[in-house]
Amino acid sequence: MNNKKNKGGRNPKLDPATNRYSVNFSSEEDMRFLKMFDRSCMTSKSAFIKARIFGEPFHVVTFDKSQHEYYAKLSDFHAQFRMVGNNYNQTLKELKSHFSERRTMALVCKLEKYMMQLVQIIQKVVELTNEYKNTVK
């Protein structure tokens, strides 16, 4: 029989970190520390502190709200652009079919409306891009 009792749990670490240090921050320093920690996207404060002390590289992730809004609006315009393009293609397919002259003229009018919508969407995209460039500078 085995005299060892199985206690369960995880295996002990080979090199456990048993040395501990304490540091005190003022409220202003604590706010700065927490801001840096949040931007680093690290999972633990102790790992963040070790990385800072020993000069290990860490990643800082920034979120630019204006850039996010720009991409969201640009995606909306892209969806509208695709819808107009699909309508344009469907109209062209119908024109290729053999219709009477009256029906062809009606379809050409529809096509003209779709093209005007497309031009308006492209103008909005250009305006949005110019606004974004001005806010980034």
Side-chain angles (χ1 to χ4, degrees), residues 3 7 21 30 38 46 48 73 89 91 97-98 118 134:
N3 290 338
K7 292 199 250 179
Y21 296 92
D30 187 50
D38 288 338
S46 61
F48 173 72
K73 287 181 182 179
N89 286 338
T91 305
S97 302
H98 301 285
L118 190 61
N134 290 336

Side-chain angles (χ1 to χ4, degrees), residues 88-108:
Y88 179 83
N89 286 338
Q90 289 172 1
T91 305
L92 280 179
K93 285 179 184 176
E94 289 186 39
L95 278 176
K96 287 182 180 179
S97 302
H98 301 285
F99 281 106
S100 66
E101 187 176 328
R102 184 175 173 199
R103 180 71 177 145
T104 303
M105 289 304 291
L107 291 173
V108 167

Side-chain angles (χ1 to χ4, degrees), residues 77 80-85 88 111-125:
F77 286 138
Q80 291 177 10
F81 184 81
R82 285 182 42 200
M83 284 177 16
V84 171
Y88 179 83
L111 183 62
E112 192 175 313
K113 287 179 187 178
Y114 293 142
M115 288 302 296
M116 294 305 292
Q117 287 177 357
L118 190 61
V119 168
Q120 290 173 352
I121 291 171
I122 291 172
Q123 287 173 345
K124 287 181 183 178
V125 168

Side-chain angles (χ1 to χ4, degrees), residues 51-97:
R52 294 291 296 179
I53 289 174
F54 295 119
E56 296 172 5
F58 61 94
H59 300 285
V60 175
V61 177
T62 57
F63 179 75
D64 186 3
K65 188 175 180 183
S66 64
Q67 188 177 18
H68 180 70
E69 290 174 1
Y70 170 75
Y71 285 127
K73 287 181 182 179
L74 194 61
S75 296
D76 290 342
F77 286 138
H78 183 262
Q80 291 177 10
F81 184 81
R82 285 182 42 200
M83 284 177 16
V84 171
N86 286 338
N87 290 339
Y88 179 83
N89 286 338
Q90 289 172 1
T91 305
L92 280 179
K93 285 179 184 176
E94 289 186 39
L95 278 176
K96 287 182 180 179
S97 302

